[in-house]
Amino acid sequence: QPSGTPDWYTRTKGIAGINSPAETVMFVDSGTGFTSAGGQFGGMVDAPDGATAPNTLGWGGWGKDGALGPYGNASPRHTVGMNVSWVDGHVKWMKPAALAAGTNWNPDISQSDVVITDVTKYLWDTDDQGN
């Protein structure tokens, strides 16, 4: 791990440590890319609660003023939806609102106000605890 790199940036977890692999987001269609401190992060997509959850890897989250756009660099380029790859390996097309299930996200909310409201419906959490 490079000096000064936060622990969350390099944290890993095996599939056995993920409570619901068929219901946990792994990859999402991303935007065209962005740079931060000289690095290219074209494939990076924030979780909807990225601005409020302490254990979320990301630069913000979802919201009308999101640092990476309203969907955290996810790109709904397929009929206003995106392809989502899940930890168990299956792929499913979803609209942004469905992908933000379990949060209070909507297109008019600020990223700093997006929070998890129902951990049983939240799709971005590896331990089903909302963090």
Side-chain angles (χ1 to χ4, degrees), residues 24-35:
T24 304
V25 171
M26 185 164 180
F27 302 111
V28 179
D29 279 332
S30 66
T32 57
F34 62 96
T35 60

Side-chain angles (χ1 to χ4, degrees), residues 13-24 87 125-129:
K13 184 178 281 196
I15 195 166
I18 298 174
N19 289 352
S20 305
E23 299 169 2
T24 304
V87 172
D125 185 5
T126 61
D127 62 8
D128 300 332
Q129 300 297 309

Side-chain angles (χ1 to χ4, degrees), residues 1-67:
Q1 171 171 321
S3 176
T5 303
D7 289 338
W8 54 258
Y9 192 81
T10 57
R11 186 173 48 220
T12 61
K13 184 178 281 196
I15 195 166
I18 298 174
N19 289 352
S20 305
E23 299 169 2
T24 304
V25 171
M26 185 164 180
F27 302 111
V28 179
D29 279 332
S30 66
T32 57
F34 62 96
T35 60
S36 176
Q40 180 75 25
F41 297 97
M44 177 68 180
V45 173
D46 277 344
D49 70 324
T52 57
N55 293 318
T56 298
L57 164 64
W59 280 266
W62 292 29
K64 66 180 181 181
D65 57 352

